[in-house]
Amino acid sequence: MTSRLVVLISGYGSNLQAILDACAADELPASVVAVISNNADAYGLVRAYEAGVKAIHFQKLESESRRDYDARLAEDILTYAPNYIVLAGWMRILTSAFLDHFPNRVINLHPALPGVFPGTHAIDRAFEAYQKGQIRHTGVMVHLVPDDGVDDGPVLATEIVPIHPNDTLESLEGRVHETEHILLVNTLKSLLQK
Ligand code: GAR
């Protein structure tokens, strides 16, 4: 059976691309039924459009509270009847006004290991911590989103990413993103096969 995925993004969308490619190659038994961004300029919207997938900029109204936005977003997403909602670089915290509609069905990707470097700029912070001798490696995780905790929730998969003495921030970023693309697709694959 083909599962329906809605992917939420805020930016470049390289992880969205990994999902789109895996669906197109029949590596994932799924189809992306909508891509939604809170940011009008997200390049991921172009990727969705080019893949023939509905691409939506879902803008927060000035008059709207965070919970009102989340409730309106959930209502919109419900019309796509998704099996899972994948946060692939979605940089907004979702409240229960959204999450209560999709228990155990919202999946987040984060470029760090559980409990370390939650929030934004996780790779930069890991690189800095490595240079200070505080860590020897970083990693990537995929987890369920039960509540509005930041990059926190039941872990579905993790992968360690080594940091080398001659790494630059750019080389580390490249390695983390490559790892993410593989881990996200593989985790979705095992989830969808259950
Ligand atoms: C990815 O590294 C993802 O893990 C991260 O945003 C990047 C999006 O890249 N997400 C977070 O930091 C969530 N806290 P992409 O737009 O190229 O997929």
Side-chain angles (χ1 to χ4, degrees):
M1 207 188 80
T2 303
S3 294
R4 298 169 66 81
L5 305 179
V6 168
V7 181
L8 269 52
I9 59 162
S10 298
Y12 186 56
S14 68
N15 286 283
L16 162 69
Q17 191 69 57
I19 296 172
L20 290 169
D21 292 349
C23 291
D26 279 336
E27 196 193 321
L28 258 188
S31 63
V32 178
V33 290
V35 171
I36 299 178
S37 171
N38 60 322
N39 169 14
D41 301 328
Y43 182 64
L45 289 175
V46 177
R47 296 180 189 270
Y49 177 78
E50 284 177 350
V53 173
K54 189 151 190 179
I56 302 150
H57 168 219
F58 203 89
Q59 188 171 17
K60 184 176 173 301
L61 310 173
E62 266 183 36
S63 58
E64 204 172 34
S65 70
R66 178 176 283 276
R67 288 186 65 81
D68 287 348
Y69 174 83
D70 284 1
R72 191 163 62 85
L73 179 64
E75 242 169 66
D76 189 70
I77 290 179
L78 281 166
T79 65
Y80 297 101
N83 298 93
Y84 288 100
I85 295 144
V86 184
L87 311 183
W90 171 257
M91 302 308 271
R92 272 186 73 86
I93 294 165
L94 292 165
T95 62
S96 59
F98 179 90
L99 295 169
D100 286 355
H101 291 277
F102 309 104
N104 293 317
R105 290 199 283 145
V106 180
I107 294 157
N108 184 44
L109 168 72
H110 185 61
L113 291 170
V116 212
F117 312 122
T120 54
H121 306 298
I123 306 173
D124 307 47
R125 286 184 285 146
F127 187 62
E128 227 176 274
Y130 174 83
Q131 286 175 323
K132 288 183 187 155
Q134 294 165 346
I135 57 168
R136 290 176 165 213
H137 59 253
T138 184
V140 168
M141 71 166 154
V142 181
H143 66 94
L144 291 172
V145 182
D147 56 32
D148 58 3
V150 179
D151 299 311
D152 191 25
V155 174
L156 297 171
T158 60
E159 183 83 38
I160 284 178
V161 177
I163 309 179
H164 305 308
N166 60 350
D167 263 330
T168 60
L169 177 58
E170 290 67 34
S171 64
L172 177 61
E173 278 172 343
R175 192 175 309 118
V176 169
H177 292 314
E178 269 174 34
T179 309
E180 286 189 310
H181 300 161
I182 296 167
L183 189 72
L184 180 59
V185 168
N186 284 345
T187 309
L188 287 172
K189 203 191 294 179
S190 42
L191 205 63
L192 299 182
Q193 278 162 357
K194 275 185 187 159

